[in-house]
């Protein structure tokens, strides 16, 4: 009986099914827990439409974007007392613009120019965009399973939220597609750059929210200004979007990006239109048709398939 060396055992383990470059997949339960926490982010974003229409002042999308980003960012910076260093100054700026400074205005523009169903359907292409960006940035080729699940997700969201009378505004479509593209690129770059050692997720989130909010604030004040007064409902809506829907939701989203493959995280974004539809069902008295139920099943199946077993590579 021969005794193999530790190096030989490691070499053989790298070629076992599921192994890749000496890395083994995380336990399934841990991956599912990470996915569940990350899904809280887009699930929370699914309540944005109801919050905006029911609690916020009308016709001020830029102000909503600024007040959603800047106060949350400043609060996180004050709590963590940590600023970027080295190349993370520009990395945080890039991610802040992709996730907030540019994404939020495009998102609200699309939401104001499109029915919610059309906007959600456009945003459902994010898993396919992440797969495309992953080829160039992460050097990861999407599997047929990922591409098929992405297409199923788009069809499911379409059935879930579209109506036969839905109107299409070209400017709104372009804005939503641009916003979704920016967010997909942010997911891939976040996966590529990781997180600085010793820096908390809350600090990293604050680094991105603050520059995005600083860009948005003067634009909002210039083009929209402040309402004559803020009601209690307005303040509650802004507080909910800033604290729950942004600071906490994005911290959990970034945690998912850190711990899961980029493609897996992108599929979790499909929970956004699901929650938006259910919120309308519960809070606005809307009803579900048989086609919408079928779409809901397809979306959930797409999210489940998108969380299939994968081995993540490390990227420098």
């Amino acid at each position: 009986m021969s005794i193999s060396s530790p190096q030989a055992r490691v070499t053989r383990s790298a070629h076992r099914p599921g192994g890749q470059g000496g890395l083994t997949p995380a336990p399934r339960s841990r991956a599912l827990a990470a996915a569940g926490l990350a899904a809280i982010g887009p699930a929370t974003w699914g309540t944005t439409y109801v919050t905006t229409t029911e609690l916020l002042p009308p016709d001020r999308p830029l102000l909503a974007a600024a007040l959603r980003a800047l106060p949350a960012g400043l609060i996180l910076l004050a709590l963590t007392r940590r600023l970027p260093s080295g190349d993370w100054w520009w990395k945080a700026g890039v991610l802040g613009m992709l996730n907030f400074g540019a994404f939020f205005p495009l998102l609200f523009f699309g939401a104001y120019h499109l029915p919610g169903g059309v906007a959600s359907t456009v945003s459902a292409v994010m898993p396919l965009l992440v797969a495309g960006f992953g080829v160039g940035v992460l050097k990861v080729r999407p599997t047929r399973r990922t591409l098929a699940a992405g297409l199923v997700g788009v069809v499911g969201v379409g059935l879930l939220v579209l109506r036969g009378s839905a109107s299409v505004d070209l400017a709104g479509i372009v804005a939503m597609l641009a916003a979704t593209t920016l967010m997909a690129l942010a997911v891939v770059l976040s996966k590529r750059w990781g997180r600085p050692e010793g820096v908390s997720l809350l600090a990293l989130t604050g680094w991105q929210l603050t520059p995005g909010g600083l860009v948005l604030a003067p634009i909002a004040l210039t083009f929209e200004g402040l309402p004559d007064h803020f009601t209690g409902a307005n303040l509650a809506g802004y507080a909910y979007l800033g604290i729950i829907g942004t600071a906490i939701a994005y911290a959990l989203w970034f945690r998912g990006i850190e711990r899961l493959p980029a493609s897996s995280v992108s599929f979790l974004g499909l929970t956004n239109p699901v929650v938006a539809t259910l919120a309308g069902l519960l809070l606005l008295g809307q009803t579900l048709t048989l086609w919408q139920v079928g779409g809901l099943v397809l979306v959930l199946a797409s999210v489940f398939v998108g969380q299939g077993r994968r081995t993540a590579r490390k990227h420098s």
Side-chain angles (χ1 to χ4, degrees), residues 1-138:
M1 179 183 297
S2 61
I3 300 176
S4 59
S5 66
Q7 181 178 1
R9 289 196 295 271
V10 170
T11 302
R12 282 200 301 270
S13 68
H15 297 282
R16 291 174 184 168
Q20 192 173 33
L23 297 176
T24 57
R28 184 66 171 169
S29 59
R30 188 179 304 173
L32 289 176
L37 286 174
I40 293 176
T44 302
W45 303 332
T47 64
T48 299
Y49 176 76
V50 172
T51 303
T52 301
T53 56
E54 299 300 310
L55 298 179
L56 299 189
D59 303 324
R60 281 184 166 82
L62 290 173
L63 181 64
L67 291 180
R68 185 178 176 183
L70 185 55
L74 293 176
I75 289 172
L76 291 180
L77 288 184
L79 290 175
T80 58
R81 299 183 180 181
R82 185 75 180 265
L83 293 176
S85 61
D87 58 3
W88 269 99
W89 280 105
W90 68 264
K91 287 181 179 179
V94 169
L95 292 175
M97 286 302 299
L98 292 176
N99 279 316
F100 306 109
F103 173 75
F104 275 178
L106 289 169
L107 176 68
F108 278 107
F109 182 89
Y112 273 84
H113 286 75
L114 294 172
V118 177
S120 296
T121 303
V122 175
S123 66
V125 302
M126 191 173 77
L128 299 176
L129 292 172
V130 168
F133 284 129
V135 174
V137 178
L138 302 178

Side-chain angles (χ1 to χ4, degrees), residues 215-301:
V215 170
L216 286 170
I219 298 175
L221 292 176
T222 300
F223 290 96
E224 293 179 354
L226 296 173
D228 293 335
H229 68 280
F230 289 103
T231 67
N234 296 158
L235 296 176
Y238 286 126
Y240 171 78
L241 288 178
I243 298 172
I244 306 297
T246 302
I248 296 176
Y250 271 95
L252 293 173
W253 176 250
F254 295 150
R255 181 181 184 274
I257 293 174
E258 181 179 84
R259 301 192 178 197
L260 297 168
S263 58
S264 296
V265 176
S266 67
F267 279 98
L268 298 177
L270 297 180
T271 59
N272 184 332
V274 171
V275 172
T277 301
L278 295 179
L281 178 69
L282 297 174
L283 302 177
L284 302 180
Q286 299 172 353
T287 58
L288 287 179
T289 66
L290 185 60
W291 284 108
Q292 287 178 299
V293 173
L296 177 62
V297 172
L298 288 179
V299 172
L300 295 178

